[in-house]
Amino acid sequence: MSFRPSLPRLPGRGVGSVGSGRPRRRLTLVAAAACIFLVQLDFYALNLALPAMAAELGSSTTDLQWVVSGYILAQAAVLIPGGKLGDILGRRRMLVVGLVIFGLGSLGAGLGSDPPIVIAFRVVQGMGSGFMYPLAFAVITEAFPGRRAKRAIGNAYGIGAVALALGPLLGGGVTELISWRSVLLVNVPLCLVAIVAAVAWLPESRDPTVSRRIDLVGLVVVVLGIVAITVAADRMNAWRPVVAAVLAVGGLVLLAAFVLRERVADSPLVRLDLFRNTKFVAVTLLGMVANIALVVTIFATTIHLQQVRGYSPFVAGLAVLTASISGGIAGPFVGRFSQRFAVHRLIGIAILVGALGLLVVAVGGEIGPYLLGLAVAGFGYQSGYTLTSLGTQAMVPAERAGEASGVTFTILFAGSGIAVAVVGTLIEQGNLATGITRVLLGTAVGSAVAATVLARSFRVG
């Protein structure tokens, strides 16, 4: 199987290739970035709404972590097959399909009457974003050949940075003034706008050489493996330890079976020779560390600001805004830096910067240093995440760039989904303030150690 959001850089490639004019490229960038905007806006806004959502639905905030982790896991499960469907049926077409699914999931979750319904529709929403995210980068790479793709992707993250700035204010302010439901329902009109922009400004393209088959067996096995591990982490306190352990081991066995399946499948979801590329492996693992740390930071500090420090959703949104703004600045900034320095080294440095900021947050104290630490953590970890999506394009041959980005995003998002489930369980153990502090300290130290070990383990140039 070949997941290729980006086609080989040849004139007239695919169907409906982008014209060479700058105005057309800019419109393509805006339309694609609108999809990235939606995904990032939703993540930052909904985290601020979790405590109010839990209170209305009669659940705990940590139990509702499935609103976040279920979404991320569904997103991870769809990334690779969604990209292949774009190759087969048309990238613009499947991007629009993703927007429709995302909008319907948002509508259902916003109108949900109890936690299972809200979580179920969030899973649907995650599936929609799984189509949107890789295909948005695909059309950007298609429109901006060669080295310009890095800068264009960095600029797309810059446009998405507006969502990083608006997300906490939307999530906190709208939740406090109206309802947490409005945070989800606002996605519906935004999806309609994005659909119109995609139809008007994105050219259609597909890959006529790609295999028309999808390894459904491999897809089911890997999804069940990830879900089993995540459920085991989430129910560690509620179930007997032996039951949770058996489920976790079963998940690991399924992931091992997935690797064996991909070795013999006629049309594998992942071509395993990709992992012989040391640079690719190093960048992907470093990116996973950065993304896990970023997601955990936002999830844990959102709960801490409202349920430990006692701030309202809106004030908490203003606090988280420091992390989202600094993270948004990271996009265009690192997009230019990545053209001059080795990406894997930049990611390692970015993680260490983020860890330093998160240590300040974990220590607590006055709100001033807390906000400064959040800003540094957001900049560092978001820089690492952005550099990962830029770096995978340069770490493999051009004809496999799309496949590599799909695999990378899948690993990043699956790791984050599992991490949120683990964090929810750890926070529940004992005093809430102590649990959150423990999680933040562990994330800061763990990310710094992991970045250092990976940098020394992989000898990449």
Side-chain angles (χ1 to χ4, degrees):
M1 170 261 172
S2 175
F3 171 71
R4 297 176 184 169
S6 56
L7 294 174
R9 281 70 167 173
L10 297 175
R13 59 199 185 279
V15 175
S17 296
V18 180
S20 60
R22 284 189 176 182
R24 180 67 180 183
R25 282 179 176 156
R26 288 172 181 167
L27 292 176
T28 297
L29 178 61
V30 170
C35 299
I36 301 170
F37 176 94
L38 268 171
V39 174
Q40 295 187 336
L41 179 72
D42 177 82
F43 171 73
Y44 275 87
L46 194 66
N47 270 274
L48 269 297
L50 283 179
M53 183 188 301
E56 181 177 325
L57 297 177
S59 178
S60 69
T61 303
T62 49
D63 282 341
L64 273 183
Q65 56 84 12
W66 278 101
V67 170
V68 177
S69 59
Y71 170 96
I72 296 174
L73 291 172
Q75 185 184 50
V78 174
L79 281 168
I80 293 178
K84 183 168 185 178
L85 287 174
D87 288 344
I88 297 171
L89 302 176
R91 298 181 176 91
R92 181 182 66 183
R93 178 181 299 172
M94 294 313 300
L95 186 59
V96 171
V97 168
L99 284 165
V100 171
I101 295 173
F102 188 88
L104 291 175
S106 299
L107 179 63
L111 299 177
S113 57
D114 55 58
I117 292 177
V118 174
I119 291 170
F121 275 105
R122 279 288 289 171
V123 169
V124 173
Q125 193 181 353
M127 294 172 64
S129 71
F131 285 104
M132 292 160 55
Y133 215 67
L135 294 177
F137 288 107
V139 295
I140 293 173
T141 304
E142 183 86 3
F144 295 87
R147 290 195 160 201
R148 284 181 292 179
K150 279 188 177 181
R151 176 170 290 191
I153 292 173
N155 288 336
Y157 275 115
I159 295 175
V162 179
L164 301 184
L166 292 178
L169 294 179
L170 175 69
V174 172
T175 296
E176 186 172 342
L177 296 175
I178 306 176
S179 167
W180 62 265
R181 298 181 184 277
S182 300
V183 177
L184 289 160
L185 295 176
V186 75
N187 288 330
V188 178
L190 292 178
C191 279
L192 292 175
V193 172
I195 289 170
V196 172
V199 172
W201 296 336
L202 295 182
E204 186 58 282
S205 66
R206 56 179 61 85
D207 185 355
T209 67
V210 73
S211 170
R212 264 44 184 170
R213 290 189 295 172
I214 295 178
D215 181 18
L216 293 178
V217 174
L219 176 62
V220 171
V221 170
V222 71
V223 170
L224 289 178
I226 293 172
V227 170
I229 294 172
T230 308
V231 172
D234 177 62
R235 308 311 296 171
M236 196 180 302
N237 290 337
W239 293 349
R240 289 171 133 189
V242 65
V243 176
V246 167
L247 186 60
V249 171
L252 293 173
V253 170
L254 286 172
L255 293 182
F258 170 72
V259 173
L260 295 176
R261 167 70 186 178
E262 297 308 280
R263 293 180 64 181
V264 300
D266 293 332
S267 182
L269 287 172
V270 178
R271 289 184 285 177
L272 299 179
D273 65 315
L274 187 64
F275 294 96
R276 296 193 192 114
N277 186 327
T278 307
K279 289 184 179 181
F280 172 79
V281 173
V283 168
T284 299
L285 291 179
L286 284 164
M288 183 179 70
V289 172
N291 194 49
I292 287 175
L294 177 65
V295 171
V296 169
T297 296
I298 299 302
F299 179 76
T301 54
T302 295
I303 298 174
H304 184 257
L305 286 165
Q306 294 183 62
Q307 295 187 265
V308 176
R309 286 185 174 254
Y311 294 122
S312 69
F314 180 70
V315 175
L318 289 175
V320 176
L321 184 63
T322 59
S324 62
I325 288 180
S326 63
I329 294 172
F333 178 78
V334 300
R336 286 158 176 76
F337 251 64
S338 66
Q339 298 179 17
R340 302 179 183 178
F341 303 99
V343 171
H344 69 280
R345 293 195 181 98
L346 289 176
I347 298 175
I349 294 171
I351 292 173
L352 293 177
V353 170
L356 180 61
L358 190 54
L359 279 175
V360 175
V361 175
V363 170
E366 298 297 327
I367 191 64
Y370 188 99
L371 295 180
L372 178 61
L374 262 182
V376 174
F379 180 84
Y381 290 138
Q382 182 67 39
S383 294
Y385 170 75
T386 303
L387 283 163
T388 303
S389 57
L390 298 179
T392 52
Q393 296 291 309
M395 298 294 177
V396 296
E399 64 272 15
R400 301 191 66 179
E403 177 188 3
S405 65
V407 170
T408 298
F409 280 132
T410 300
I411 293 172
L412 264 59
F413 295 160
S416 298
I418 294 172
V420 171
V422 172
V423 165
T425 299
L426 292 176
I427 289 176
E428 288 178 334
Q429 295 177 354
N431 179 270
L432 182 63
T434 302
I436 293 175
T437 299
R438 184 169 54 236
V439 163
L440 294 176
L441 280 172
T443 301
V445 175
S447 63
V449 171
T452 303
V453 170
L454 286 171
R456 291 184 176 181
S457 298
F458 291 95
R459 303 297 182 185
V460 291

